[in-house]
Amino acid sequence: MEIGYYPGCSLKQSSALYDLQSRRIFAELGVQLTEIEDWNCCGATSAGKLDDFMAVAMPARNIGIAETQGFSEVVIPCSACYSRTLVAQKRLEASPLLRAEINENLSRKLNGGVRISSILEVLIDRISAGELKPKIRHKFRSLKPVCYYGCMQTRFPFDVPVPDDVENPQGMETVLKAVGVRAIDWGYKTACCGASAAVNDPETSFNLMAKIMKEAVARGANCFVTTCPMCQLNLDAHQEKFCQKHGIAERLPVFFITEILGATMGISPEALQVDRHFVDGTTLLKELEQDESKQAK
């Protein structure tokens, strides 16, 4: 099975391990991710703040490329890229005039018909097809994750068909349950981490992240699980600073959903590049595997 793949800028730079993991996990599930040709930045948050037209035109070009390559579906792991691309597609469907204006300047036109999917949608489809269950080697029953979606995975600045509950999404919980992991329910799963404010307004961003961290600790979590590169980077790279600033003693690894899936498939943390995290996550995964082996005996 082949699906179009848009990695976006983060998965080629700061979150390159997420790109590696996504390709590996989907290959294990019988899905070939084929990167769309000559893709460009989706505009992320910057284009939307500065130029509304470009906020649609930039992802529109990528959609046009995917259509001319013949893809019926494109998966986008990054929450921001997924949001920008899906919103652009729906805005163009709602405005024939805008679509005509943008198509006039594109060498590969948009005609419609490509499904824009998040990584969770494609994973859930594979679970429903029975592709995941035979791949499971470990069930980390002692893993106590909180699923952190951030504010872009289910909230959009335009009316789009949201495939999950906006305020209480369950996509990650569904995927984790399929590999024997029960996520902890909590109230901060869609709270904002500050996003790029971590660079230009760290005070505000650190306050937001500290609230998220305190709630996760209070619920008894031993890790975060996310799909968003920005959320993962913020909570991971800045955790030591905001925890010290706000008197938080605990430290929690921040895993991508692909890392948990890979670990349950028996892929080593090193092969998944979990050792590249700022907050150690390798130790927890190896301890869980050892505990499971002892229980099996």
Side-chain angles (χ1 to χ4, degrees), residues 144-148 184-189 191 208-225 235 239 242-243 248 250-254:
K144 300 174 183 177
V146 285
C147 296
Y148 181 55
I184 296 172
D185 191 27
W186 69 318
Y188 276 67
K189 60 170 62 177
L208 292 171
M209 285 187 270
K211 291 179 181 179
I212 293 166
M213 184 74 176
K214 287 178 180 178
E215 175 68 8
V217 171
R219 295 283 183 169
N222 59 10
C223 68
F224 292 95
V225 179
L235 287 172
Q239 191 171 137
F242 70 71
C243 280
I248 304 170
E250 295 81 2
R251 302 293 183 270
L252 302 180
V254 189

Side-chain angles (χ1 to χ4, degrees), residues 155-187:
R155 295 171 177 168
F156 303 91
F158 193 75
D159 186 18
V160 303
V162 182
D164 207 337
D165 188 287
V166 174
E167 298 299 336
N168 186 26
Q170 296 295 317
M172 271 191 279
E173 286 85 348
T174 299
V175 173
L176 291 174
K177 185 179 180 180
V179 296
V181 174
R182 184 174 294 278
I184 296 172
D185 191 27
W186 69 318

Side-chain angles (χ1 to χ4, degrees), residues 7 18 40 57 66 83 111 120 133 146 205 217 222 234 259:
Y18 193 20
N40 55 265
S83 174
N111 297 303
L120 292 175
K133 189 175 181 179
V146 285
S205 187
V217 171
N222 59 10
N234 271 352
E259 290 170 324

Side-chain angles (χ1 to χ4, degrees), residues 82 90 158 203 268 270 294:
Y82 167 65
K90 298 309 175 185
F158 193 75
E203 182 76 18
S268 71
E270 290 78 13
K294 291 177 182 178

